[in-house]
């Protein structure tokens, strides 16, 4: 087991005992520029069994990249680029969801098929942030806003062109 956390502006990883009651060895720095993470979300990274996805360097054109457990760059995960944030790996590890800052000054929701390196633009009427996969991997949940209206929590089916469903409006 491994736990990822932010410490003094750095993204760190620490091995845990199998029962989770103690740390093993020294912590490893994964990213030294985590203090400038693009997202202001409580979850600036997404971890799976063998993968950790994160974003950094606000305002810089980036693209998703595979990074090994010891920090070595393994290569690009997809060809999508831009000012990316809130990158999340799907439950089956075959897709990414992310928010990309657009020329219109808002965040567009994208789903990236990692096997085919194809990009689907979802819920184009919304500025969308903090996308998270539903456990079944068939939809994405997150914070959406139409124009200058109130923000709400939306569910967006992965089918391109499908309507986003408002499921909660904060008080």
């Amino acid at each position: 087991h491994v736990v990822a956390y932010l410490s003094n502006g750095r993204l760190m990883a620490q091995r845990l005992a199998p029962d989770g009651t103690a740390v093993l060895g020294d912590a490893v720095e994964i990213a030294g520029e985590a203090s400038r993470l693009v997202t202001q979300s409580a979850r600036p990274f997404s971890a799976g069994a063998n993968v950790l996805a994160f974003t950094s360097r606000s305002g810089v054109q980036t693209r998703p990249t595979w990074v090994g457990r010891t920090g070595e760059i393994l290569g690009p995960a997809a060809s999508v680029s831009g000012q990316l944030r809130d990158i999340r790996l799907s439950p089956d590890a075959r897709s990414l969801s992310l928010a990309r800052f657009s020329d219109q000054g808002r965040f567009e929701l994208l789903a990236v098929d990692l096997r085919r390196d194809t990009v689907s633009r979802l819920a184009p009427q919304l500025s969308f942030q903090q996308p998270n996969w539903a456990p079944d991997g068939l939809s994405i949940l997150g914070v959406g806003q139409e124009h200058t209206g109130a923000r709400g929590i939306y569910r967006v089916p992965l089918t391109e062109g499908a309507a986003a469903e408002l499921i909660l409006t904060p008080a």
Side-chain angles (χ1 to χ4, degrees), residues 39-94:
T39 179
Q40 296 176 9
S41 159
R43 291 180 44 196
F45 50 85
S46 178
N50 296 309
V51 176
L52 176 69
F54 67 94
T55 53
S56 64
R57 298 183 184 165
S58 179
V60 173
Q61 299 293 307
T62 59
R63 64 191 244 188
T65 303
W66 295 117
V67 179
R69 289 182 179 266
T70 59
E72 74 275 17
I73 304 296
L74 302 177
S79 61
V80 64
S81 65
Q83 292 183 42
L84 309 179
R85 65 183 280 172
D86 301 327
I87 297 174
R88 301 286 185 259
L89 193 61
S90 66
D92 64 6
R94 294 181 178 181

Side-chain angles (χ1 to χ4, degrees), residues 115-126:
R115 293 169 295 165
R116 293 180 281 188
D117 195 21
T118 56
V119 178
S120 298
R121 187 169 172 231
L122 306 172
Q125 78 281 11
L126 298 174

